[in-house]
Amino acid sequence: MKRYAYFISDGTGITAEMLGNSLLAQFESIEFERVTYPYVDSAEKARKVVEEINRNSADEAVAIIFDTIINKSIRAIMDDAIGLKIDIFGAFLDPMEKALRVESSYSVGKSHSAKDTGYLNRIESINFALANDDGGRNRHYKEADVILVGVSRCGKTPTCLYLAMQFGIKAANYPLTEDDMESMNLPAALAPYRKKLFGLTIDPDRLAAIRNERRANSRYASLKQCYHEVDEVEQLYQREQIPFISTTDRSIEEISTRIMAETGLHRRMRS
């Protein structure tokens, strides 16, 4: 039976979604209808949300309600919602206050403030990833924390953007072509930055399927071409001692975290 999962916040709702979805992912057998209500920052908005939740409630399929509401009067209204209520901030702030012997500020939006140095790092890193995507520019490679290399459509661009958004990492990417592989050497644009390189590879069958969505029935998407490119690029990684991982069965989150761990890079999200 489908269940409703609500993410409610008087801020952006990002924290409620991130933690809530991580918990829901542990229950693969259940289908969840996910609904997010950000900026529930007035009594009127809170009452409307409670009415919506209660309309969709069923005894046999109780709603799961994740919230990061700070305002106590709004929280009191939310208590009328029917379902399993998970107060994310309350669950952690109370014991932290006791351990630290100081009260928290109870400020909305603290983790996503535009004045936060980490936020500014993230925006700068996103701009860097977009400006240095697909090998279009390489004069800024000296500023890069990491340069992802690999064949076309192996996941370089989304990984660069995730590294920027979640870790504040300046990641560039460079597509390795047939010409690069035939030369048996690193492209000249990459040679000075060998220590920053990290390779991505992918199962050839999966690569062919992805490329066929973009350019069906082409040489570029043919299984033979995909096997050839993947084989050549993996030989290049081994020959040049470039660390690499396969993206075939891994999420962007796992790929990015593994890159962070294997390169020794550190999150640059806070001052």
Side-chain angles (χ1 to χ4, degrees):
M1 181 177 293
K2 180 170 70 175
R3 290 175 180 259
Y4 278 87
Y6 294 93
F7 309 101
I8 303 167
S9 175
D10 41 15
T12 63
I14 292 173
T15 301
E17 286 184 328
M18 287 180 64
L19 182 54
N21 279 318
S22 294
L23 294 171
L24 294 180
Q26 308 305 313
F27 301 91
E28 297 178 356
S29 62
I30 301 176
E31 179 185 357
F32 290 100
E33 179 75 24
R34 292 168 168 82
V35 183
T36 301
Y37 288 106
Y39 302 112
V40 181
D41 50 9
S42 70
E44 181 183 2
K45 291 180 181 178
R47 291 190 188 98
K48 287 182 178 179
V49 170
V50 170
E51 289 174 7
E52 173 70 17
I53 293 173
N54 291 348
R55 266 198 305 272
N56 293 324
S57 292
D59 291 338
E60 68 275 15
V62 63
I64 311 298
I65 306 165
F66 300 95
D67 84 77
T68 53
I69 299 289
I70 294 293
N71 186 288
K72 293 182 179 179
S73 62
I74 294 176
R75 285 204 58 77
I77 296 171
M78 292 304 305
D79 285 342
D80 292 331
I82 300 171
L84 172 62
K85 304 177 190 73
I86 301 175
D87 173 8
I88 293 174
F89 282 166
F92 298 106
L93 286 180
D94 289 346
M96 287 182 69
E97 286 178 336
K98 291 176 182 177
L100 297 173
R101 297 180 182 177
V102 63
E103 291 188 356
S104 65
S105 62
Y106 288 92
S107 299
V108 177
K110 272 285 188 180
S111 60
H112 308 292
S113 171
K115 296 179 181 180
D116 179 39
T117 303
Y119 177 84
L120 299 177
N121 285 338
R122 180 165 55 182
I123 296 302
E124 183 181 356
S125 296
I126 292 171
N127 288 333
F128 182 88
L130 293 172
N132 293 275
D133 180 49
D134 215 23
R137 299 178 183 177
N138 52 51
R139 65 179 182 275
H140 298 133
Y141 280 4
K142 62 182 178 182
E143 300 174 29
D145 297 308
V146 64
I147 303 169
L148 303 187
V149 294
V151 300
S152 172
R153 310 301 287 181
C154 69
K156 299 184 299 299
T157 297
T159 302
C160 283
L161 287 172
Y162 189 88
L163 285 167
M165 289 188 289
Q166 295 298 322
F167 299 105
I169 294 298
K170 288 185 175 181
N173 78 77
Y174 188 100
L176 294 171
T177 65
E178 280 189 282
D179 291 340
D180 295 325
M181 298 171 206
E182 288 173 2
S183 71
M184 303 293 288
N185 294 308
L186 276 178
L190 298 178
Y193 309 102
R194 183 186 301 267
K195 292 183 179 179
K196 294 184 178 185
L197 303 183
F198 197 97
L200 300 183
T201 188
I202 187 172
D203 178 78
D205 294 271
R206 174 64 178 150
L207 179 62
I210 294 171
R211 288 184 174 183
N212 265 297
E213 292 178 5
R214 184 181 187 187
R215 205 178 301 169
N217 303 316
S218 63
R219 176 175 176 272
Y220 165 80
S222 70
L223 202 53
K224 180 180 178 182
Q225 180 65 18
C226 291
Y227 266 91
H228 170 70
E229 289 187 26
V230 170
D231 182 61
E232 290 292 317
V233 80
E234 289 185 0
Q235 287 187 49
L236 176 67
Y237 294 156
Q238 292 167 0
R239 188 167 60 248
E240 299 291 339
Q241 297 184 318
I242 298 170
F244 68 96
I245 60 171
S246 172
T247 63
T248 306
D249 298 314
R250 292 190 170 105
S251 65
I252 294 298
E253 293 88 345
E254 184 180 356
I255 295 166
S256 301
T257 304
R258 284 180 177 270
I259 290 172
M260 294 288 289
E262 293 192 27
T263 58
L265 291 171
H266 298 286
R267 183 189 296 266
R268 195 164 56 239
M269 300 297 290
R270 291 286 182 269
S271 56

